[in-house]
Amino acid sequence: MTSLLESALKCENKNRPPVWLMRQAGRYLPDYRALRERHSLNELFHNSELAAEITRMPVDLLGVDAAILFSDITTIVEALGLQLDFIENVGPRISPLIETPDDLKIITPHSVEEKLSFVKKQIELLLPTLSVPLIGFCGGPFTVASYMIERSHREKISATKKWLYNDPQTFHHLLELITEASIEYLRMQIKAGVSAIQIFDTWASALAYPQFVEFSLRYLKQIVDALRETEIPIILFGKGFSLFAHDLAKLKPAAISFDWQKELIHLRQSLPSHIAVQGNIDPYLLLAPRATIRAMTERLLDSMRHEMGFIVNLGHGVLPETPVANVEFFIDTVKQYTAEPLFI
Amino acid sequence: MTSLLESALKCENKNRPPVWLMRQAGRYLPDYRALRERHSLNELFHNSELAAEITRMPVDLLGVDAAILFSDITTIVEALGLQLDFIENVGPRISPLIETPDDLKIITPHSVEEKLSFVKKQIELLLPTLSVPLIGFCGGPFTVASYMIERSHREKISATKKWLYNDPQTFHHLLELITEASIEYLRMQIKAGVSAIQIFDTWASALAYPQFVEFSLRYLKQIVDALRETEIPIILFGKGFSLFAHDLAKLKPAAISFDWQKELIHLRQSLPSHIAVQGNIDPYLLLAPRATIRAMTERLLDSMRHEMGFIVNLGHGVLPETPVANVEFFIDTVKQYTAEPLFI
């Protein structure tokens, strides 16, 4: 039987929409926090058994309709010869940083299969034990580049923007290196058995429109085109992707994942019917009283109740301070939803 | 003779578009930095003579087509009985903060004319000496509220979002207090002689769409409606306002100011012809080589060359590290622009 997620990605779902959450295996889960007390993030990412255990947590506890690899969008830099650490409350730290075009020579592409074999192993451990589809992922090349460049990654990504305006050619070179490795990385994940891929170009919307086209969209297209032959469904995600919905649709991904800034039904109606939409609850809603969580969730579900190709998700990751009970309540609200019959 | 700015705001401009820049009187100007060495920001804002001198700086040095009051969007809180300081490299610090609904009782509305008379005086000092129109302004109530609530204002405005989801009623009360004071504040500015008003609801786009309508748009509408009888042209600005263009247009402002995430010509063409558009150069462009500044600026001007109601600006404020020479070059590029004749 085809899973809810796979049906939705084909825009063929008939029943309730599937629901999963970005960062569903994260700090808001007590079991995850317990593991984190004994292991650094770096250990958890590299230890395939523990990573698989974390990936399974929200499936077992919350009954979400998809699992997503426990990994980070910056993991790919290890296949480019760089070191990756995670700093508490700050995020990934890549060393050495690639701060100037001169630093490009530090980058030495390795075999992804070899350097990131722990991700392949996580997938192999997960597949026999999972009751729901497994989503693989990577970062969008532009977003990964911004993490390689910025000393302290904020949404402003100043150094990244300065580089691309001042020396677009070398910036393209950096993006090409990341794109090649990312394609190899996703091919490895697909071969290992993931059911879908999500590409997180989280910070691409910081770019002005012409630069978005030149430095983000172009490389997303390269990845999508390279994977076309595998027939894997691809979901494109970025903060603010409402802005770029039509350009992203031209890449013919299976789905686009949107944040909360536009009504999802308007985005759905403006896109070709063969492209599914994913989203778009504000993660802060899950800090609200239950009545509000229910009302806003049902508002979304009501608006989308005649649409195929709809995957319920947040517009960005679950916030670490979210009460687990609220996440559970949200998931249950989606799963128990039955639209009132519509009298037109 | 009607100024370029006023013609553009009426969508009646025939010649080149007017150009001014958000934060055009700021740290990138050596004269401003020299003043800042001798005076705190607080002194500069409260000393009408010095503030007027700063407001004039970019007009004299760069030849911009409009001046904008040297003030801050948080100034209004002084009329609500709160104290305002500015911390180097951080921004405004309001004390006491309004962190919970209980803190609302701290707010004590005073006479704006009395508490903010230094702004009125700045306008009175400026008008006889300015060759270009003077723009007055205030913050959007939602954005001002976020500065009153957040300990450390980041784009995420977590505490603000938590409040509005958990206790919308008291949050509305806060917004009403700010809105009333803002209307009084703008009326004072208009009476003193400003030629146009810009309302900066900078962070409203952090909200999910339904919350944008409820907590931002509604109060922008109250202000615009209250000032309708004065016939003052109003420009609405917010980061990410491309997302909300159609809702903002329903408020019938004179203009909407957009950031760089969409092509301005597409926004122009999707809006009623009586609403002018302002924008939308990425401030980081002004850190690029001159050839790039010229190319991207002419790209914008070319795309808009048949449009009335166009004001050239950045999508957000001038960055402090911007070389003055680049700003000058950008302004000159706009002023010297003559479109190639169009052969269709």
Side-chain angles (χ1 to χ4, degrees), chain A residues 158 165 205 243 261-262 284, chain B residues 158 205 243 261-262 282 284:
Chain A
S158 314
Y165 276 125
S205 64
L243 288 157
Q261 297 180 312
K262 282 270 184 194
Y284 283 94
Chain B
S158 314
S205 63
L243 288 158
Q261 296 181 312
K262 281 270 185 195
D282 182 354
Y284 283 94

Side-chain angles (χ1 to χ4, degrees), chain B residues 51-330:
Chain B
E53 188 182 328
I54 295 170
T55 297
R56 267 191 304 264
M57 282 179 187
V59 181
D60 296 341
L61 185 69
L62 305 168
V64 287
D65 297 308
I68 181 159
L69 283 180
F70 180 70
S71 183
D72 193 80
I73 58 173
T74 53
T75 299
I76 191 70
V77 306
E78 295 188 7
L80 295 170
L82 305 176
Q83 198 185 321
L84 180 60
D85 292 295
F86 291 87
I87 314 302
E88 196 69 34
N89 299 320
V90 174
R93 189 184 60 188
I94 293 165
S95 54
L97 285 172
I98 307 300
E99 297 187 282
T100 69
D102 258 5
D103 298 334
L104 284 172
K105 62 178 183 291
I106 301 167
I107 297 178
T108 45
H110 291 67
S111 153
V112 170
E113 287 264 359
E114 189 184 306
K115 279 287 188 178
L116 305 181
S117 60
F118 57 91
V119 175
K120 187 176 167 189
K121 196 170 157 204
Q122 188 196 153
I123 299 171
E124 290 166 349
L125 287 167
L126 279 166
L127 287 183
T129 67
L130 274 180
S131 54
V132 294
L134 177 62
I135 301 172
F137 73 90
C138 73
F142 173 77
T143 294
V144 173
S146 74
Y147 280 101
M148 292 167 78
I149 293 166
E150 302 287 334
R151 261 171 200 277
S152 153
H153 198 285
R154 299 264 180 83
E155 300 184 19
K156 281 188 185 154
I157 53 172
S158 314
T160 308
K161 280 186 142 189
K162 282 182 212 170
W163 184 341
L164 69 84
Y165 277 125
N166 277 285
D167 194 346
Q169 208 177 338
T170 55
F171 195 70
H172 277 299
H173 182 52
L174 174 57
L175 292 169
E176 281 155 17
L177 291 169
I178 300 167
T179 302
E180 274 171 41
S182 301
I183 291 170
E184 200 184 331
Y185 183 39
L186 293 178
R187 283 204 174 115
M188 179 187 84
Q189 295 181 32
I190 295 163
K191 217 167 122 192
V194 298
S195 299
I197 290 289
Q198 180 155 317
I199 306 177
F200 291 78
D201 211 358
T202 315
W203 304 119
S205 63
L207 291 171
Y209 180 79
Q211 281 70 43
F212 166 73
V213 173
E214 181 176 350
F215 298 103
S216 162
L217 193 67
R218 172 168 161 180
Y219 295 95
L220 293 176
K221 180 169 164 43
Q222 278 186 26
I223 298 176
V224 174
D225 286 347
L227 300 182
R228 185 92 52 207
E229 57 178 15
T230 68
E231 295 183 16
I232 192 87
I234 296 177
I235 307 167
L236 298 177
F237 165 78
K239 271 206 73 186
F241 264 11
S242 310
L243 288 158
F244 307 130
H246 299 282
D247 296 285
L248 293 161
K250 285 183 198 148
L251 272 43
K252 297 189 188 140
I256 306 174
S257 192
F258 293 106
D259 69 12
W260 47 84
Q261 296 181 312
K262 281 270 185 195
E263 298 279 17
L264 198 62
I265 183 66
H266 293 158
L267 291 160
R268 162 72 286 170
Q269 288 168 347
S270 74
L271 288 171
S273 60
H274 61 270
I275 295 181
V277 297
Q278 178 174 276
N280 72 341
I281 293 287
D282 182 354
Y284 283 94
L285 178 67
L286 301 191
L287 305 179
R290 291 196 168 187
T292 310
I293 296 176
R294 184 199 294 275
M296 293 299 301
T297 304
E298 292 190 346
R299 184 182 180 283
L300 172 66
L301 294 164
D302 282 345
S303 72
M304 296 292 289
R305 72 186 179 284
H306 298 299
E307 305 299 326
M308 312 251 263
F310 169 36
I311 301 155
V312 179
N313 206 318
L314 304 181
H316 204 174
V318 183
L319 297 163
E321 67 264 44
T322 313
V324 179
N326 286 11
V327 181
E328 227 170 330
F329 179 78
F330 169 69

